[in-house]
Amino acid sequence: MKYPTIALTLVALAATQSPTAMAQDASARARDIFAKADTNQDGALSLEEWKAAGRRERGFSMIDADRDGKLTPEELRAAAAKYGK
């Protein structure tokens, strides 16, 4: 009985957030994940950083639009918009 109560609470909390607030939360989470993966703090992800974060090399090559061997936040946003994630 404990789990349905938790689920209902989460649904109620989500329902009280505006779409803008939910988008801001998702954006903040994405920035945090990127910052943790960017171990050398250069503002981009190398293939090594990408793979160390548990991602596949194929995904890296799909997202690296300018083929410079680095993924920028802009490239990640463009890929998310293109691939719907």
Side-chain angles (χ1 to χ4, degrees):
M1 197 67 162
K2 181 178 181 180
Y3 295 110
T5 303
I6 293 170
L8 289 173
T9 302
L10 291 173
V11 168
L13 286 172
T16 62
Q17 279 194 318
S18 71
T20 302
M22 287 189 287
Q24 289 171 341
D25 288 345
S27 182
R29 283 192 303 272
R31 281 191 303 275
D32 186 48
I33 291 167
F34 185 91
K36 287 178 182 173
D38 184 15
T39 57
N40 66 359
Q41 303 298 302
D42 68 349
L45 299 180
S46 66
L47 177 58
E48 292 76 25
E49 290 170 324
W50 178 258
K51 288 170 46 177
R55 303 296 183 176
R56 295 187 328 200
E57 189 169 337
R58 181 173 180 230
F60 184 93
S61 61
M62 290 174 61
I63 297 169
D64 187 14
D66 61 6
R67 305 287 181 232
D68 67 350
K70 297 179 182 179
L71 298 182
T72 63
E74 293 78 20
E75 287 173 317
L76 291 167
R77 278 192 290 273
K82 181 178 181 179
Y83 299 112
K85 294 190 178 195

